Amino acid sequence: MNVIGLMSGTSADGIDAALVEIKGHGPSIAVRLLACTSAPYPRKLQTQILHTCDSGTGPEVCDLNVMLGERFAKAASKLIRLSGLTERDIHLIGSHGQTLYHHPRAPHRSTLQIGEPSIIAERTGITTVADFRPRDMAAGGEGAPLTPYAHQILFQHRTRSRLIVNLGGICNVTYIPFETKKRTIAAFDVGPGNMMINNAMIFMTNGKAFQDTSGATAARGRVDGALLASLLKHPFLKRRPPKSTGREEFGDTYVRRLMREAKQRRMRNEDFLATVTAFTAQTASASQRFLNGQVDEVILAGGGTRNRTLVKEFRTAFFPTPVNTAEAYEWNSKAIEAVAFAILAYQTFHETPNNLPSVTGARHAVVMGKIIPGRSFRGRIS
Ligand SMILES: Nc1ncnc2c1ncn2[C@@H]1O[C@H](COP(=O)(O)OP(=O)(O)O)[C@@H](O)[C@H]1O
Ligand SMILES: [Mg+2]
């Protein structure tokens, strides 16, 4: 099957889209990347999404669901054009959507991903699978993380234990021991990914820049040992997994306070940024103590791989363990999460369970996702 995966993460920077060819059934499917692209959100839309996450009203959520549905459909069409194929050549779309809210432990376990999949199916004519998380939560799970299921399919190795590090807004890791029969996969959030770096840039430039492109600014600074040591005392780092984090802990309020303190100590902006960049890599490295085995190699994915200073800090933090981006494994770093939702959708379509209960805490394996039939569903043309 030719399957498209669509993903927009916590950074709300845009939609990542990937087209893969998938063969086989069950956990040993073969996946090949055919094309990938990104459809960045305009700054105004990004701001609207982040506002709606924090304090959106019912009508605002409702409107945004439709607006993002159109954007996801357009991202799929853009990818199809780019790949030289037509809608008829694509069998399935898996769309994660945009998370507005995720509260796995509130009295009412709840989660909401928007970007109306009915619109994606209607505009493209392609059967679309979406809304993966609620089923895992209904089965007692946290509904997250979901991508480790795909990481295992893509990166499991016979003799080497691998740590997949996704550098989105938040940094999450998936540990895939080589002998998964004896030791289970572990996956959890370790701390900030690009979130602190992005916020620091926004404050430093009064909103003109919203990321440290290529890590150029941090490269001009020097890591402040005292600040780094105090950051590494953050209580989230000590918490045992399963654990997840977000804007509440490492978002703008936290960064604003740290920057104010740094200013009082007359720290230069670029030194602050260099320190935050080092901190991000160090949190990931510190998380190794929660793993039930050693790491033989580290594979970096997500937008943060485009920050060269961050990648350099990862090499320092994990030394002597080799650290490489997914490109070294012939994958596109920015596409991995989108590929994951293509894989999850493929399994949904074939009624194959696609959560990892050992990771999400669900009571049992379930088939996650809701299916919106396209024009040709299971071979029948409508
Ligand atoms: N060229 C670049 N240089 C530095 N950082 C980048 C670059 N491109 C993307 N990023 C970082 O990656 C983030 C987006 O990564 P992504 O994997 O899409 O995260 P998320 O899943 O949170 O949306 C951006 O917010 C930015 O911080
Ligand atoms: Mg993104």
Side-chain angles (χ1 to χ4, degrees), residues 9-11 13 16 168-169 194 198 211-214 302-304 306 334:
T10 46
S11 305
D13 58 316
D16 296 312
N194 300 291
N198 286 356
Q211 65 179 32
D212 182 13
T213 302
S214 305
R306 307 296 188 247
K334 196 82 169 70

Side-chain angles (χ1 to χ4, degrees), residues 17-30:
L19 170 61
V20 287
E21 179 196 63
I22 309 182
K23 288 181 177 158
H25 286 289
S28 56
I29 56 173

